[in-house]
């Protein structure tokens, strides 16, 4: 009987923790196709712009002012916050590996600051988890890489 009481109490505590802080172990949505939308046929020509919301952990892609894609993202965690402002893609590297973080793979990297902040494929657990970069679902980062160029506004 005591074991049942302990299990019920533990379940209530875990449930309360989840309500207050979110899931204890968030699902990484990097490879989940439901994490994004991509509809480039809505606007086939024109300038591209990317917006990122640190608050909602989302990004949107506009071409000629029309939204052609949106996605969940993961930005920098406390102490490594993603910078805010207007940026431009400085360079692109389909197969980038970090010189700072142990040769970590950063596929479809699109650098927006000279100190290393970039949009790239990475973990998307539903909360800020990077060292300042903007992590995107893998397939979304590949599609984004195909429509941007050096100078694209972010």
């Amino acid at each position: 009987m005591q074991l049942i009481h302990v299990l019920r109490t533990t379940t209530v505590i875990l449930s309360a923790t989840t309500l207050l802080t979110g899931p204890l172990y968030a699902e990484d949505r990097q490879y989940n196709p439901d994490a994004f939308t991509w509809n480039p046929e809505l606007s086939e020509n024109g300038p591209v712009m990317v917006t990122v919301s640190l608050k909602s952990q989302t990004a949107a892609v506009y071409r000629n002012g029309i939204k052609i894609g949106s996605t969940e993202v993961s930005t920098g965690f406390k102490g490594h916050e993603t910078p805010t402002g207007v940026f431009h893609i400085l360079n692109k590297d389909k197969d980038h590996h970090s010189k700072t973080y142990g040769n970590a793979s950063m596929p479809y990297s699109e650098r927006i600051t000279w100190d290393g902040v970039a949009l790239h494929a990475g973990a998307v657990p539903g909360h800020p988890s990077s060292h300042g970069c903007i992590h995107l679902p893998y397939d979304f980062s590949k599609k984004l890489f195909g429509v941007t160029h050096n100078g694209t506004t972010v």
Side-chain angles (χ1 to χ4, degrees):
M1 192 60 143
Q2 282 184 317
L3 178 59
I4 291 172
H5 178 71
V6 169
L7 290 175
R8 284 184 185 154
T9 303
T10 302
T11 301
V12 169
I13 291 170
L14 288 175
S15 295
T17 301
T18 301
L19 287 173
L20 295 173
T21 64
L24 295 176
Y25 299 99
E27 173 193 3
D28 182 357
R29 294 175 57 82
Q30 181 182 108
Y31 297 104
N32 185 332
D34 295 332
F36 69 89
T37 62
W38 189 256
N39 300 294
E41 69 281 358
L42 295 176
S43 179
E44 296 183 1
N45 299 309
V48 172
M49 180 179 77
V50 181
T51 63
V52 178
S53 170
L54 301 180
K55 183 176 181 178
S56 66
Q57 295 291 285
T58 59
V61 181
Y62 297 85
R63 184 160 45 201
N64 208 31
I66 298 168
K67 187 190 288 189
I68 62 167
S70 62
T71 186
E72 300 172 14
V73 301
S74 182
T75 60
F77 60 86
K78 189 172 179 151
H80 294 274
E81 288 86 359
T82 300
T84 59
V86 177
F87 304 93
H88 296 94
I89 294 174
L90 302 171
N91 63 27
K92 297 172 55 165
D93 184 353
K94 181 180 173 189
D95 190 31
H96 182 71
H97 287 80
S98 173
K99 293 179 179 80
T100 305
Y101 297 107
N103 204 36
S105 178
M106 299 179 175
Y108 300 101
S109 183
E110 302 188 67
R111 183 185 298 259
I112 59 170
T113 72
W114 287 117
D115 60 348
V117 176
L119 298 140
H120 64 82
V124 183
H127 56 82
S129 68
S130 80
H131 285 92
C133 286
I134 300 151
H135 288 178
L136 306 165
Y138 183 86
D139 286 341
F140 187 90
S141 67
K142 185 176 182 179
K143 293 173 187 299
L144 180 65
F145 196 89
V147 300
T148 60
H149 61 275
N150 287 353
T152 295
T153 302
V154 178

